[in-house]
């Protein structure tokens, strides 16, 4: 995180958003091992919300990259 003081380029934003989406999907896979535990449904909903947020960030970043060209 040594990029203080400057805005990331749209390509950097896209890369970060894709990593975030990948991590959110992996987290949801990991949650499946906890099926049946107390709080599982709430955690799964939160995970789904995170995936949706990450997908929107990827789409926005893709659009920014496209507009930059």
């Amino acid at each position: 995180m040594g990029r203080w003081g400057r805005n990331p380029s749209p390509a950097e934003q896209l890369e970060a958003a894709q990593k975030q989406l990948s991590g959110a999907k992996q987290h949801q896979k990991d949650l499946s091992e906890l099926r049946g535990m107390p709080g599982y449904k709430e955690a799964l909903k939160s995970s789904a919300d995170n995936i949706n947020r990450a997908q929107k960030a990827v789409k926005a970043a893709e659009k920014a990259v496209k507009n930059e060209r």
Side-chain angles (χ1 to χ4, degrees):
M1 293 288 164
R3 297 186 206 156
W4 298 105
R6 74 173 189 86
N7 292 331
S9 72
E12 290 170 331
Q13 290 176 346
L14 177 57
E15 183 180 342
Q18 288 171 332
K19 284 182 183 177
Q20 183 180 7
L21 177 58
S22 174
K25 286 182 177 181
Q26 183 60 48
H27 182 252
Q28 193 169 43
K29 285 180 187 175
D30 294 345
L31 277 177
S32 67
E33 298 173 9
L34 303 176
R35 181 169 281 145
M37 299 287 285
Y40 170 73
K41 286 185 179 181
E42 292 81 7
L44 197 61
K45 182 184 180 325
S46 175
S47 179
D49 290 344
N50 289 339
I51 288 174
N52 289 338
R53 215 173 292 122
Q55 286 174 332
K56 287 179 184 177
V58 167
K59 285 182 184 178
E62 286 173 344
K63 187 175 181 181
V65 168
K66 183 179 175 185
N67 289 339
E68 186 183 44
R69 294 181 188 159

Coordinates of all heavy atoms in Angstrom, one line a residue:
M1 N 0.8 -1.2 0.0 CA 0.0 0.0 0.0 C 0.9 1.3 0.0 O 0.6 2.2 0.7 CB -0.9 0.0 1.2 CG -2.0 -1.1 1.3 SD -3.2 -0.7 0.1 CE -4.0 -2.2 -0.1
G2 N 1.9 1.3 -0.8 CA 2.8 2.4 -0.8 C 2.4 3.4 -1.9 O 3.2 4.1 -2.4
R3 N 1.1 3.5 -2.2 CA 0.7 4.5 -3.2 C 0.0 5.7 -2.7 O -0.9 6.2 -3.3 CB -0.3 3.8 -4.2 CG 0.4 2.6 -4.9 CD -0.5 2.1 -5.9 NE -0.2 0.7 -6.2 CZ -1.0 -0.2 -6.6 NH1 -2.3 0.1 -6.9 NH2 -0.7 -1.4 -6.8
W4 N 0.4 6.1 -1.5 CA -0.3 7.3 -0.9 C 0.0 8.5 -1.7 O 1.1 8.7 -2.3 CB 0.3 7.5 0.5 CG 0.0 6.4 1.4 CD1 0.9 5.4 1.9 CD2 -1.3 6.0 2.0 NE1 0.3 4.5 2.7 CE2 -1.1 4.8 2.8 CE3 -2.6 6.5 1.9 CZ2 -2.1 4.2 3.5 CZ3 -3.6 5.9 2.6 CH2 -3.3 4.7 3.4
G5 N -1.0 9.4 -1.9 CA -0.8 10.6 -2.5 C -1.1 10.7 -4.0 O -1.1 11.7 -4.6
R6 N -1.5 9.5 -4.6 CA -1.9 9.6 -6.0 C -3.1 8.6 -6.2 O -3.3 7.6 -5.5 CB -0.8 9.2 -6.9 CG -0.4 7.8 -6.9 CD 0.6 7.5 -8.1 NE 0.9 6.1 -8.3 CZ 0.2 5.3 -9.1 NH1 -0.9 5.8 -9.7 NH2 0.5 4.1 -9.2
N7 N -3.9 8.9 -7.2 CA -5.1 8.1 -7.5 C -4.6 6.9 -8.4 O -3.8 7.1 -9.3 CB -6.1 8.9 -8.2 CG -6.8 10.0 -7.3 OD1 -6.9 9.8 -6.1 ND2 -7.2 11.0 -7.9
P8 N -5.1 5.8 -8.1 CA -4.8 4.6 -8.9 C -5.4 4.8 -10.3 O -6.5 5.4 -10.5 CB -5.4 3.4 -8.2 CG -6.4 4.0 -7.3 CD -6.0 5.4 -7.0
S9 N -4.7 4.3 -11.3 CA -5.3 4.3 -12.7 C -6.5 3.4 -12.8 O -6.6 2.5 -12.0 CB -4.2 3.9 -13.7 OG -4.0 2.5 -13.6
P10 N -7.3 3.6 -13.8 CA -8.4 2.7 -14.0 C -8.0 1.2 -14.1 O -8.7 0.4 -13.6 CB -9.1 3.2 -15.3 CG -8.8 4.6 -15.3 CD -7.4 4.7 -14.7
A11 N -6.9 1.0 -14.7 CA -6.4 -0.4 -14.8 C -6.0 -1.0 -13.5 O -6.3 -2.1 -13.2 CB -5.2 -0.5 -15.8
E12 N -5.4 -0.1 -12.6 CA -5.1 -0.6 -11.2 C -6.4 -0.8 -10.4 O -6.5 -1.7 -9.6 CB -4.2 0.5 -10.6 CG -2.8 0.5 -11.1 CD -2.0 1.7 -10.6 OE1 -2.6 2.7 -10.2 OE2 -0.8 1.6 -10.5
Q13 N -7.4 0.1 -10.6 CA -8.7 -0.1 -10.0 C -9.3 -1.4 -10.4 O -9.9 -2.1 -9.6 CB -9.6 1.1 -10.2 CG -9.1 2.4 -9.6 CD -10.0 3.5 -10.0 OE1 -10.8 3.5 -10.9 NE2 -9.9 4.6 -9.3
L14 N -9.2 -1.7 -11.7 CA -9.8 -3.0 -12.2 C -9.2 -4.2 -11.6 O -9.8 -5.1 -11.1 CB -9.7 -3.0 -13.7 CG -10.3 -4.3 -14.4 CD1 -11.7 -4.6 -14.0 CD2 -10.1 -4.2 -15.9
E15 N -7.8 -4.1 -11.5 CA -7.1 -5.3 -10.9 C -7.5 -5.5 -9.5 O -7.7 -6.6 -9.0 CB -5.6 -5.0 -11.1 CG -4.7 -6.1 -10.6 CD -3.2 -5.8 -10.7 OE1 -2.9 -5.0 -11.5 OE2 -2.5 -6.5 -10.0
A16 N -7.6 -4.4 -8.7 CA -7.9 -4.5 -7.3 C -9.3 -5.0 -7.1 O -9.6 -5.8 -6.3 CB -7.8 -3.1 -6.7
A17 N -10.3 -4.5 -8.0 CA -11.6 -5.0 -7.9 C -11.8 -6.5 -8.2 O -12.5 -7.2 -7.6 CB -12.5 -4.2 -8.8
Q18 N -11.0 -6.9 -9.2 CA -11.0 -8.3 -9.6 C -10.5 -9.2 -8.4 O -11.0 -10.3 -8.1 CB -10.2 -8.6 -10.9 CG -10.9 -8.1 -12.1 CD -10.1 -8.1 -13.3 OE1 -8.9 -8.0 -13.3 NE2 -10.7 -8.2 -14.5
K19 N -9.4 -8.7 -7.8 CA -8.9 -9.4 -6.6 C -9.9 -9.5 -5.5 O -10.0 -10.5 -4.8 CB -7.6 -8.8 -6.1 CG -6.4 -9.0 -7.0 CD -5.1 -8.4 -6.4 CE -3.9 -8.6 -7.3 NZ -2.7 -7.9 -6.7
Q20 N -10.6 -8.4 -5.3 CA -11.6 -8.3 -4.2 C -12.7 -9.3 -4.5 O -13.2 -10.1 -3.6 CB -12.2 -6.9 -4.1 CG -13.2 -6.7 -3.0 CD -13.7 -5.3 -2.9 OE1 -13.4 -4.5 -3.8 NE2 -14.5 -5.1 -1.9
L21 N -13.2 -9.4 -5.8 CA -14.2 -10.3 -6.2 C -13.7 -11.8 -6.0 O -14.5 -12.6 -5.5 CB -14.6 -10.1 -7.6 CG -15.7 -11.0 -8.2 CD1 -17.0 -11.0 -7.4 CD2 -15.9 -10.6 -9.7
S22 N -12.5 -12.0 -6.4 CA -12.0 -13.4 -6.2 C -12.0 -13.8 -4.8 O -12.3 -14.9 -4.4 CB -10.6 -13.5 -6.8 OG -10.0 -14.7 -6.6
G23 N -11.5 -12.9 -3.9 CA -11.5 -13.2 -2.5 C -12.9 -13.4 -1.9 O -13.1 -14.3 -1.1
A24 N -13.8 -12.6 -2.4 CA -15.2 -12.7 -1.9 C -15.8 -14.1 -2.3 O -16.5 -14.7 -1.5 CB -16.1 -11.6 -2.4
K25 N -15.5 -14.5 -3.5 CA -16.0 -15.8 -3.9 C -15.3 -17.0 -3.1 O -16.0 -17.9 -2.8 CB -15.8 -16.0 -5.4 CG -16.7 -15.2 -6.3 CD -16.5 -15.4 -7.7 CE -17.5 -14.6 -8.6 NZ -17.3 -14.8 -10.0
Q26 N -14.0 -16.8 -2.9 CA -13.3 -17.9 -2.1 C -13.9 -17.9 -0.7 O -14.1 -19.0 -0.1 CB -11.8 -17.6 -2.1 CG -11.0 -18.6 -1.3 CD -11.2 -20.0 -1.9 OE1 -11.1 -20.2 -3.2 NE2 -11.5 -21.0 -1.1
H27 N -14.2 -16.8 -0.1 CA -14.8 -16.7 1.2 C -16.1 -17.4 1.3 O -16.4 -18.2 2.2 CB -14.9 -15.3 1.7 CG -15.5 -15.1 3.1 ND1 -16.7 -14.7 3.3 CD2 -14.9 -15.4 4.3 CE1 -16.9 -14.7 4.6 NE2 -15.8 -15.1 5.2
Q28 N -16.9 -17.3 0.2 CA -18.2 -17.9 0.2 C -18.0 -19.5 0.1 O -18.7 -20.2 0.7 CB -19.1 -17.4 -1.0 CG -20.5 -17.9 -0.9 CD -21.4 -17.2 -1.8 OE1 -21.0 -17.0 -3.0 NE2 -22.6 -16.8 -1.4
K29 N -17.0 -19.9 -0.7 CA -16.7 -21.3 -0.8 C -16.3 -21.9 0.6 O -16.7 -23.0 1.0 CB -15.6 -21.6 -1.8 CG -16.0 -21.5 -3.2 CD -14.8 -21.7 -4.1 CE -15.2 -21.5 -5.6 NZ -14.0 -21.6 -6.4
D30 N -15.5 -21.1 1.3 CA -15.0 -21.5 2.6 C -16.2 -21.6 3.6 O -16.2 -22.5 4.5 CB -14.0 -20.5 3.2 CG -12.7 -20.6 2.4 OD1 -12.5 -21.5 1.6 OD2 -11.9 -19.6 2.5
L31 N -17.2 -20.7 3.5 CA -18.3 -20.7 4.3 C -19.1 -22.0 4.2 O -19.8 -22.4 5.2 CB -19.2 -19.5 4.0 CG -18.9 -18.2 4.7 CD1 -19.9 -17.1 4.2 CD2 -18.9 -18.3 6.2
S32 N -19.1 -22.6 3.0 CA -19.9 -23.8 2.8 C -19.5 -24.9 3.8 O -20.3 -25.8 4.1 CB -19.8 -24.3 1.4 OG -18.5 -24.7 1.1
E33 N -18.3 -24.9 4.3 CA -17.9 -25.9 5.2 C -18.5 -25.7 6.6 O -18.5 -26.6 7.4 CB -16.3 -25.8 5.4 CG -15.6 -26.1 4.1 CD -14.1 -25.9 4.3 OE1 -13.6 -25.6 5.4 OE2 -13.4 -25.9 3.3
L34 N -19.1 -24.5 6.8 CA -19.7 -24.2 8.1 C -21.3 -24.4 8.1 O -21.9 -24.0 9.0 CB -19.4 -22.8 8.5 CG -17.9 -22.4 8.6 CD1 -17.8 -21.0 9.0 CD2 -17.3 -23.3 9.7
R35 N -21.8 -25.0 7.0 CA -23.2 -25.2 6.8 C -23.8 -25.9 8.1 O -23.2 -26.8 8.6 CB -23.5 -26.1 5.6 CG -24.9 -26.3 5.4 CD -25.2 -26.9 4.0 NE -25.1 -25.8 3.0 CZ -24.6 -26.0 1.8 NH1 -24.1 -27.1 1.4 NH2 -24.6 -25.0 1.0
G36 N -24.9 -25.3 8.6 CA -25.6 -25.8 9.7 C -25.1 -25.2 11.0 O -25.8 -25.4 12.1
M37 N -24.1 -24.4 11.0 CA -23.6 -23.8 12.2 C -24.5 -22.5 12.5 O -25.0 -22.0 11.6 CB -22.2 -23.3 12.1 CG -21.2 -24.5 11.8 SD -20.9 -25.5 13.3 CE -19.9 -24.4 14.2
P38 N -24.5 -22.1 13.8 CA -25.3 -20.9 14.1 C -24.7 -19.7 13.4 O -23.5 -19.6 13.3 CB -25.1 -20.8 15.6 CG -24.7 -22.1 16.1 CD -24.0 -22.8 15.0
G39 N -25.5 -18.9 12.8 CA -25.1 -17.7 12.1 C -24.7 -18.0 10.7 O -24.3 -17.0 10.0
Y40 N -24.8 -19.2 10.2 CA -24.4 -19.5 8.8 C -25.2 -18.7 7.8 O -24.6 -18.2 6.9 CB -24.6 -21.0 8.6 CG -24.4 -21.4 7.1 CD1 -23.1 -21.5 6.6 CD2 -25.5 -21.8 6.3 CE1 -23.0 -21.8 5.2 CE2 -25.3 -22.1 5.0 CZ -24.0 -22.2 4.5 OH -23.9 -22.5 3.2
K41 N -26.5 -18.7 8.0 CA -27.3 -18.0 7.0 C -27.0 -16.5 6.9 O -26.9 -15.9 5.8 CB -28.8 -18.1 7.3 CG -29.3 -19.5 7.0 CD -30.8 -19.6 7.2 CE -31.3 -21.0 6.8 NZ -32.8 -21.1 7.0
E42 N -26.7 -15.9 8.0 CA -26.4 -14.5 8.1 C -25.0 -14.2 7.4 O -24.8 -13.3 6.6 CB -26.4 -13.9 9.5 CG -27.7 -13.9 10.2 CD -28.2 -15.2 10.7 OE1 -27.4 -16.2 10.7 OE2 -29.4 -15.3 11.2
A43 N -24.1 -15.1 7.7 CA -22.8 -15.0 7.1 C -22.8 -15.2 5.6 O -22.1 -14.5 4.8 CB -21.8 -16.0 7.7
L44 N -23.7 -16.1 5.1 CA -23.8 -16.4 3.7 C -24.4 -15.2 3.0 O -24.0 -14.8 1.9 CB -24.7 -17.7 3.5 CG -24.6 -18.3 2.1 CD1 -23.2 -18.8 1.8 CD2 -25.6 -19.5 2.1
K45 N -25.4 -14.6 3.6 CA -26.0 -13.4 3.1 C -25.0 -12.3 3.0 O -24.9 -11.6 2.0 CB -27.2 -12.9 3.9 CG -27.9 -11.7 3.2 CD -29.1 -11.2 4.1 CE -29.8 -10.0 3.5 NZ -29.0 -9.1 2.8
S46 N -24.2 -12.1 4.0 CA -23.2 -11.0 4.0 C -22.2 -11.3 2.9 O -21.7 -10.4 2.2 CB -22.5 -11.0 5.4 OG -21.5 -10.1 5.4
S47 N -21.8 -12.6 2.8 CA -20.9 -12.9 1.7 C -21.4 -12.6 0.3 O -20.7 -12.1 -0.5 CB -20.5 -14.4 1.9 OG -19.6 -14.8 0.9
A48 N -22.7 -12.9 0.1 CA -23.4 -12.7 -1.1 C -23.4 -11.2 -1.4 O -23.2 -10.7 -2.5 CB -24.8 -13.3 -1.2
D49 N -23.7 -10.4 -0.4 CA -23.7 -8.9 -0.5 C -22.3 -8.4 -0.9 O -22.1 -7.5 -1.8 CB -24.1 -8.2 0.8 CG -25.6 -8.4 1.1 OD1 -26.3 -8.8 0.2 OD2 -25.9 -8.2 2.3
N50 N -21.2 -9.0 -0.3 CA -19.9 -8.6 -0.7 C -19.5 -9.0 -2.1 O -18.9 -8.2 -2.8 CB -18.9 -9.3 0.3 CG -18.9 -8.7 1.7 OD1 -19.4 -7.6 1.9 ND2 -18.4 -9.5 2.6
I51 N -20.0 -10.1 -2.6 CA -19.8 -10.5 -4.0 C -20.5 -9.6 -4.9 O -19.9 -9.1 -5.9 CB -20.2 -12.0 -4.2 CG1 -19.3 -12.9 -3.5 CG2 -20.3 -12.3 -5.7 CD1 -19.7 -14.4 -3.6
N52 N -21.7 -9.2 -4.6 CA -22.5 -8.3 -5.4 C -21.8 -6.9 -5.5 O -21.6 -6.3 -6.6 CB -23.9 -8.1 -4.9 CG -24.8 -9.3 -5.2 OD1 -24.5 -10.1 -6.0 ND2 -25.8 -9.4 -4.4
R53 N -21.3 -6.4 -4.3 CA -20.6 -5.2 -4.3 C -19.3 -5.2 -5.1 O -19.0 -4.3 -5.8 CB -20.2 -4.8 -2.8 CG -20.3 -3.4 -2.5 CD -20.1 -3.1 -1.0 NE -21.3 -3.6 -0.2 CZ -21.2 -4.4 0.8 NH1 -20.1 -4.9 1.1 NH2 -22.3 -4.8 1.4
A54 N -18.6 -6.3 -5.0 CA -17.3 -6.5 -5.8 C -17.6 -6.6 -7.3 O -16.8 -6.1 -8.1 CB -16.6 -7.8 -5.3
Q55 N -18.7 -7.3 -7.6 CA -19.0 -7.4 -9.1 C -19.4 -6.0 -9.6 O -19.0 -5.6 -10.8 CB -20.2 -8.3 -9.3 CG -19.9 -9.7 -9.1 CD -21.1 -10.7 -9.2 OE1 -22.2 -10.3 -8.8 NE2 -20.9 -11.9 -9.6
K56 N -20.0 -5.2 -8.8 CA -20.3 -3.8 -9.3 C -19.1 -3.0 -9.4 O -18.9 -2.2 -10.4 CB -21.3 -3.1 -8.3 CG -22.7 -3.6 -8.4 CD -23.6 -2.9 -7.4 CE -25.0 -3.5 -7.4 NZ -25.9 -2.9 -6.4
A57 N -18.1 -3.2 -8.5 CA -16.8 -2.5 -8.6 C -16.1 -2.9 -9.8 O -15.4 -2.0 -10.5 CB -16.0 -2.7 -7.3
V58 N -16.1 -4.2 -10.2 CA -15.4 -4.7 -11.4 C -16.0 -4.0 -12.6 O -15.3 -3.6 -13.5 CB -15.5 -6.2 -11.4 CG1 -15.0 -6.7 -12.8 CG2 -14.6 -6.8 -10.4
K59 N -17.4 -4.0 -12.7 CA -18.0 -3.4 -13.8 C -17.7 -2.0 -14.0 O -17.5 -1.5 -15.1 CB -19.6 -3.6 -13.7 CG -20.0 -5.0 -14.0 CD -21.5 -5.1 -13.9 CE -22.0 -6.6 -14.1 NZ -23.4 -6.7 -14.0
A60 N -17.7 -1.2 -12.9 CA -17.4 0.2 -12.9 C -15.9 0.4 -13.4 O -15.7 1.3 -14.2 CB -17.6 0.8 -11.5
A61 N -15.0 -0.4 -12.9 CA -13.6 -0.3 -13.2 C -13.4 -0.7 -14.7 O -12.6 0.0 -15.4 CB -12.8 -1.2 -12.3
E62 N -14.1 -1.7 -15.2 CA -14.0 -2.0 -16.6 C -14.5 -0.9 -17.5 O -13.9 -0.6 -18.5 CB -14.9 -3.3 -16.9 CG -14.2 -4.6 -16.4 CD -15.1 -5.8 -16.5 OE1 -16.4 -5.6 -16.7 OE2 -14.6 -6.9 -16.4
K63 N -15.6 -0.2 -17.1 CA -16.1 0.9 -17.8 C -15.1 2.1 -17.8 O -14.9 2.7 -18.8 CB -17.5 1.3 -17.2 CG -18.2 2.4 -18.0 CD -19.5 2.7 -17.4 CE -20.3 3.7 -18.2 NZ -21.6 4.0 -17.6
A64 N -14.5 2.3 -16.7 CA -13.5 3.4 -16.6 C -12.3 3.1 -17.5 O -11.8 4.0 -18.1 CB -13.0 3.5 -15.1
V65 N -11.9 1.8 -17.5 CA -10.7 1.4 -18.4 C -11.1 1.6 -19.9 O -10.4 2.2 -20.7 CB -10.3 0.0 -18.2 CG1 -9.4 -0.5 -19.3 CG2 -9.6 -0.2 -16.8
K66 N -12.4 1.2 -20.2 CA -12.8 1.4 -21.6 C -12.9 2.9 -22.0 O -12.5 3.2 -23.1 CB -14.2 0.7 -21.7 CG -14.8 0.8 -23.1 CD -16.1 0.1 -23.1 CE -16.8 0.2 -24.5 NZ -18.1 -0.3 -24.5
N67 N -13.4 3.7 -21.1 CA -13.5 5.1 -21.3 C -12.2 5.8 -21.4 O -12.1 6.9 -22.0 CB -14.4 5.8 -20.3 CG -15.8 5.4 -20.4 OD1 -16.3 5.0 -21.4 ND2 -16.6 5.6 -19.3
E68 N -11.2 5.3 -20.8 CA -9.8 5.9 -20.7 C -9.2 5.8 -22.1 O -8.4 6.6 -22.5 CB -9.0 5.2 -19.7 CG -7.6 5.8 -19.5 CD -6.8 5.1 -18.5 OE1 -6.7 3.8 -18.6 OE2 -6.1 5.7 -17.7
R69 N -9.5 4.7 -22.9 CA -8.9 4.5 -24.2 C -9.3 5.5 -25.2 O -10.2 6.2 -25.3 CB -9.2 3.1 -24.7 CG -8.5 2.1 -23.8 CD -8.8 0.7 -24.3 NE -8.3 -0.2 -23.3 CZ -8.7 -1.5 -23.2 NH1 -9.6 -2.0 -24.0 NH2 -8.2 -2.3 -22.3

